Amino acid sequence: MPTVPRVEQRVEERPAPTPNLPSGDTPEISGIGQPEKTAFNMEGVNKVVDALIQKEIERVDEAVGLDNDLKMSLVTDAIEESAKRHRGRDAGLALDESRKNFPEAAEKIRKESVKTRGQEDRFNRSLARNTLKLETNIGSHVSREHDSYVETSYTAFKLQAIDEAGKNRELLESTIKELEERARRHGELNGKPEEWIQLEIKSNTSTMVLGA
């Protein structure tokens, strides 16, 4: 019987085809690729988070500033009210008292309530406002009390001198001279014009002469 020749089948091994990708960067999946080209931009994320945190800090600082403003206002009013107990010739003690107590109270609030630079800036502005308020109000109180005391004292002395001169005519001449000096001194110390001084001297003299 005839022999059939064997045919050997050969399978040629070829590499698997690669996908037809456009030239450029290698695709990056799950962090595969160059480190500087990762899927998440952490620098951008950090900037967003920092901005949010900064906004929250500013919100809290503003609220703390308002709270401290209220505390400073209440403390200022309390110190002012207490200091104004000093009246008349002792009114000057009001300024001494307020200048002693206010810094101590303000420093206590600072230590207890101020924690950040923003809160410190707001507190310093509040401190400046309340210091000016207290100094102005106490200064006005002292001035009014001293004015009242000076005028009351001068008037009381003048009326007493005139009354005594009316009872004892021998005192008339010396009293007229003394009241003239007192009127001039009083006017100069208290910023009164020369016209007031002259009218005061004339009024005192007329009262004594007519009453003698």
Side-chain angles (χ1 to χ4, degrees), residues 22 118 125 132 183 188 205-206 210:
R125 290 196 292 270
L132 178 60
E188 291 173 349
T205 302
S206 297
L210 293 176

Side-chain angles (χ1 to χ4, degrees), residues 8-16:
E8 295 182 2
Q9 295 182 349
R10 295 182 179 181
V11 178
E12 184 179 355
E13 294 182 0
R14 296 180 181 179

Side-chain angles (χ1 to χ4, degrees), residues 95-167:
L95 200 56
D96 295 335
E97 180 179 314
S98 66
R99 286 178 174 176
K100 175 182 180 296
N101 293 339
F102 181 72
E104 294 176 355
E107 188 59 27
K108 181 180 179 182
I109 294 175
R110 184 197 298 274
K111 289 181 178 180
E112 293 177 350
S113 305
V114 176
K115 307 299 181 184
T116 69
R117 184 185 298 273
Q119 294 170 18
E120 180 77 17
D121 291 340
R122 289 169 173 80
F123 180 82
N124 287 338
R125 290 196 292 270
S126 179
L127 177 62
R129 285 195 304 273
N130 284 283
T131 298
L132 178 60
K133 171 187 172 182
L134 186 61
E135 288 283 308
T136 300
N137 291 349
I138 294 296
S140 297
H141 167 77
V142 172
S143 181
R144 288 192 301 270
E145 288 296 315
H146 282 176
D147 284 346
S148 176
Y149 174 71
V150 167
E151 291 298 329
T152 299
S153 298
Y154 170 74
T155 300
F157 173 84
K158 177 180 70 174
L159 294 178
Q160 178 66 19
I162 291 174
D163 183 64
E164 290 180 357
K167 295 176 180 177

